[in-house]
Amino acid sequence: MIKLTIISCIALSALCLNSCTNDYLTVNSASSLLADGSYYNSKTHLTEALVASYDPLKWFDYFYSYESLPLVADLMSEDVMAGGGGETDCLYLHKISNFSALPTSVCNQTWSICYSGINRSNIVLQYINNAADMTEAEKAEYTAEATVMRAWYYTTLWKYWGNIPYFEKNLTYPYISPQIGHDAVYDKIAASLESSINANVLPMKSTAGNEGHVTQAMAEMLYADVVMYQKDATRYPTALKYMKDIIGSTKYDLVSDYASLWESTGEWCKESIFEINYTAKNGGRAWDAPIATGGSVYPKFIGINGLSGSPEFNGGWGFEPVCASAYKMFDSNDKRRDASILNFAAYSATNGATYSPRYEDTGYFMRKYLPRLDGNSGCTGSGDMNYNNNVRLYRYSETLLNAAELLLATGGSNTEAQGYLDKVRIRAGLASVTVSVDNILNERHKEFVGEGKRYWDLVRSGKAATILVAGSTTTRSANWTESKKYLPIPQGEIDAAQGTLTQNNY
Amino acid sequence: MNKKSRQRCKSLNLHLNKLFISLICTATLLILSTASVSAATPIKGTITDEKTGTALTGVGVLVEGTTIGTTTDNDGHFTINVPSENSVLVISYIGYTKQKIKVGRQTNLKIVLSEDSRSLDEVIVVGYGTQKKSVVTASISRVTSEDLNRVAPVRIDDALKGITSGVTVTTASGQPGAGSQIRIRGIGTINNSDPLYIVDGMPIDGGIDYLNPRDIQSVEVLKDAASGAIYGARAANGVVLVTTKSGKSEKMRVSYDYSYGVQNAWKQRSVLNGTQYAIMMNEASIAAGKGAMYSDPYSFGTGTNWQNEVLNSNAPKEQHQLSISGGNDKISYYISGGYYSQDGIVGGNFNRSNYKRYTLRSNTDYVLLDTKERNFLNKLVFTQNISFANIKSTGISTNSEYGSPLGSALVMTPLMDVYADTDAEIKNVNNILGNASVKIPVSDYRNKKLLNMAGDSFNEITNPIGQLSIPGSIGSSNKFVANFSAELTLIDNLKLKSSFGNDIAFWENNGYNIPYYLGKSSYNERSYVYSSMNRSWVWQLENTLSYDKKIDKHSFSVVLGQSAKKTTGRYLWGQRYLMISEDASKANIDFTTGIASKGEQLVSGSAYSPATMASYFGRISYNFDERYMLQATVRRDGSSNFGTNNKWATFPSVSLGWNITNESFINDRKPEWLTNTKLRVSWGKNGNSTMSAFRYVALTSTGNNYAFGAGENTIINNGTKPNGIANPDLKWEESEQTDLGLDFALFANALTFTVDYYVKNTNGMLMEMPINSYVGDAKPWGNVGTMENKGLEFETTYRFKTGNWNFRVGANASFLQNKTINLGNSTGFANYDSYASVGTISRAQNGICFPFFYGYKTAGIFQNAAEVNAYKNANGDLIQPKAQAGDVKFVDTNNDGVINDDDRTKIGKGMPDWTYGFNFSASYKNFDMNMVFQGTIGNDIYDATRRVDLQYVNLPAYMWGRWTGEGTSNTTPRFTWTDDNKNWQSSDLYVKDGSYLRLKNIQIGYTFPHNLTRKALISSLRLYVAAENLLTFTKYEGFDPEIGTSGGTSIGIDRGCYPQARTYTFGLNLNF
């Protein structure tokens, strides 16, 4: 008995001393792997990393704050207002709209979302050469795709804030990246896009099933966007060349029915170059899972409050009322007018629909992105958060208008430019006007109303200070000045940076 | 051999367990008695326990001044020959007060012994061993089973309330089974500040409510770092050591306890009645230019009292406990079974707030070997403690202003009836349903009557009876805790103890939901059933070597040990939509028809990542002549929660003690009444490692998906990224504590007094590092913050006896001062709680206590326009330009001439300055009485029960005293819907004094005379009546000043908390 006990005690002690090593203290996660090179070493896993780099694209509409890209940009134009329940309902939107954003009241999620995308794009680039089962061609394609995605995120940051921390390798301790000026940011974006485009490894247009991926056309549109916003004449020829690449490829064309663009059938049509992809089918977004994959809450957000009797739209929360001037700028025979903006009085006259006005109500609504009936069917999450309306970022009509503008700017063929402008006007059911920078900008205003282009056009064309003045929307009381070009950097970032971030002089 | 054993007996005399000593002493006395020869009178006697009336076995009986002695047999009988009538018998029994009895002419003695719990020879449990209280150098509070009997708690955490100093127990709610939050010496960290619970040597995570308090022998609270250091990495928040009961070497004892109680809310909150409500609504409506809402407010009378509707009166509470204990010199056992059930005072009658617990315990000690044949490997004791608990509970949402049943009862309009039984009401319900996405109203669970609906203007606030009538979920758990240990005496006093403990728990949550519509944010579209199952297994293997030695006046005690622990577990959750029928009895997942491809079948599950811990520890205690004491402890812990850079950490401590009165130079001169004075000082470092695993690396995180493809061909693609940014340098939080204590004992220990002062600093608090968001992923955790707690603690007990009266008075008080030294972030503050539209109401900030209420200071009400216009800044501008007469005057705390966010400041705090308790026991013959009081001083309550963002909700009664004209009120502003002055932004108007004193428990008992009960083979029978929360003294107007916590860092915010019940109980204790 004693012997047995002693032996077992010694055995137990021995067992324990033996096991009490660092091996015993090293445990593995039950359902995850280390997220380093030991994981990102195959095509499958690099594809996962690449997918993850697109993921933040779909958060802008809601990630604990509503910062949909077209919404925020248009709020700074003369076309729309914030609306909703009142001045304090999404205060940051009202502030931005009135050029009175504060470091504590600005679209700070956009900052974080873009950097999430950058971090994830960097991971693809960091590990791409680690994938043993990928061909060099595949690696080149992934590299170009991730680089363009990163450039896209940086472009958004650059347009909003200008002077930002820029890094191409993810940060390690002490997690500080120096802030660089807006011109330096521009140079880096443009250079990375040129290298990706010139590698010529991306398809001009996605094959079926791959819609949503970066294409050569998307990269070229982004390049033109950046170069034209920077007014960098030295790169105009390259930008023009890229536009002509797209046009010459014949992979894209205008659709004949402008209104069809905004229906779900119009998504990824032949005119579409890049969209943020949302899907209602199996859409899992919910209030407790705001960044799950699925649909968008943006349609609900700008939907018509208390709507009833509409044969095609669901109601919503009444944000983003459209200014009457935006409706009235169209010729009455412009097919784009009623396809873009819903004039409720006229609408109600045809079907007896009613609604309850909210703050800054105008009676006009952004029809392009209104929630369609059944637009959220098939979702598993919250119905309100899963509308399938994709956000159109680049359309072929912009390629044509870019080309026209770049032709004028580089002293190219006027006829050619006229042809591109006419093509857009003809589709809208309008007669030709003489091609000029102003006419192109006017055309862009109408063609892209509600698509978040107008404000950037006003800034780059130097018209912002004259157009975006107090009274340019019903409730705007401040004037745009050059210092409003860059939003205030979120206060939390200034605080955390401990002196390494300089606030914009907003 | 006899000689040897006698010597050993002597050297052992100081130490260890009572049982062992009594055995040896018994043997000694037996030897002595057989050695004596005398021709005197034989005297018989019986010795029983004063309390229980049970016979005591092995009690030593000695004729004073002689070697004549004997011990009692199994029935407590003894026979002894005494030389003369003048002989005096000395009756001694370990743990009982020694008695001397003059024999006289008696021949059949009935001797009753009372337990001696004030003895300084009292042994207290310290980690990995016990220690004589007289030589303890650390700060340890002790709660005995006797203390527990006075309060008859349901959970061990409740038991600590008011009984001991240095422990703040705050109860989150009065919901049956709701846990309390225990803070030992304040809030030590912004992270988990829960203490470490060790039950019979086994650390218990995930809830201590499996323990039946009636099975507990003692609870020791290790408060200072020196006492906690033996538990190193987990002791930073204090350690609660629980020792369960074990059998004694005595005749079988069967005890049965029963109690039945009825519970009621001890008070209702005063709100406006129907007429007052209508008048107020009219007032606001007219002021807003909308005309009167009600033409005749007086026609409504008192209206519906929603609190009456929601509160469950006479909710039952019942408890049974049967225990059997006993033993002999080889085996001793304690077996018990318990049942406890409680219905809640809110929702208990809807089966929505109920608690049932079954407990079983078997504690056994086997002396496998005890030989005197050799002095090595001569004793082996095997101990097993096995317990099982099954708990079933249901609960309602509590302490929420967003539509908890009680929160809603406070703000629901008194003009609405509970039921929709008139045509107008039914029409109104149908109207509301007309715009709803689900057209199914809710009926009362009890009588199926259609309930009224308040409509959209009430937002989340819905008919509270409706909230109680919809199905809830049922939580249930099964927990087994089994410890096995063997202690082998190697040689001399060198002992090896090996123990293997297991904590195996299964818990689940099951429920279903049906389609219903209560309000615009409280509805459910499709029926579904859900079920979650969890299991976990914690094992711990420990080996300790202990050695005790006394050489002359030097006493040594050394403990060396090793410990290894591992936790594993698994969970599974599923939910499926579309029940075949809404049948609660069949609410199982396979009673549904949901189709996976439509997203109607959801599942998740995983193994928990294992957590391991390895430790080595040692402690040396030394005392010289019980005058000078020294104790040093060191523990080295390794944890799987940390990376290779910081896997191991060392936690040292040292403490010193000086028994001043044991010094001869004092002893000779000290007054008679001063029995003992001891000075203690200790310093130590403890750790806190309660954090999630794998914070030091980045792991893959799936679900970062994106949809590619167009239209019907859109497919969601799997995306994977690192789950965050790694910090390989992550390490433990450390808390460093210095304690200075003084113990006094006076009048032969009748009066004892202890005072402690401590300073406790927590360094390197684990929190998210304050780096920039532009890193682009979840920020790493780092060791960044610092917190300080300082405090004073007092404990005193006084016992005395006059005639047949016995009294005991105990009191304790703790003073605590907490300060956040550094939150570790760049702003130096962090916002915590928020309330409805009011926004932030509490925050933590460097240099201020953690956390505190945050808002504006007010300076009364503007009585007229002149006062508004007189409130100007240096530039002559109005400080509150939007104010008018009747509005709140806010203080411009930063003197910048405007009232804005920057003027918000500390307006109160939820943590008390003082927590105190006192208890009083008295007995007279067969009657006994116990009272326990507890209270707090210096804490505030943030009264967040009113929904200021909703127009038509009912109002607290204080609003009736609103400002209505000059001089009417200087505390409550005018009632208005258009609050341009923001009268009800977060300010001290919401902050109320939360101090209270409460008679927590009072018990009056009667024990039937032994000679009556003996005939029924009953050794003792006691009946008692008790009341809980009988009296409460407080200025606070809400349901309960014991608000406690509504979350980890949230203290003292009342959002309509579930009050503690006032309970009247009848009970009996029966012993065979």
Side-chain angles (χ1 to χ4, degrees), chain B residues 592-667:
Chain B
T592 52
T593 57
I595 293 165
S597 60
K598 290 186 179 170
E600 292 166 348
Q601 278 185 30
L602 308 172
V603 67
S604 75
S606 176
Y608 299 136
S609 295
T612 54
M613 201 159 165
S615 318
Y616 301 97
F617 50 88
R619 175 176 61 212
I620 177 157
S621 313
Y622 165 77
N623 79 69
F624 176 73
D625 195 25
E626 296 203 5
R627 269 191 276 163
Y628 310 110
M629 284 83 72
L630 164 80
Q631 183 163 296
T633 310
V634 64
R635 179 159 175 142
R636 188 160 166 75
D637 279 312
S639 161
S640 62
N641 275 359
F642 300 93
T644 44
N645 297 5
N646 288 303
K647 236 177 218 335
W648 289 89
T650 306
F651 301 95
S653 88
V654 62
S655 56
L656 300 166
W658 181 27
N659 263 328
I660 304 167
T661 36
N662 287 1
E663 294 286 359
S664 54
F665 64 87
I666 297 277
N667 208 6

Side-chain angles (χ1 to χ4, degrees), chain B residues 68 231 241 414 442:
Chain B
I68 308 167
Y231 293 105
L241 293 179
V442 179

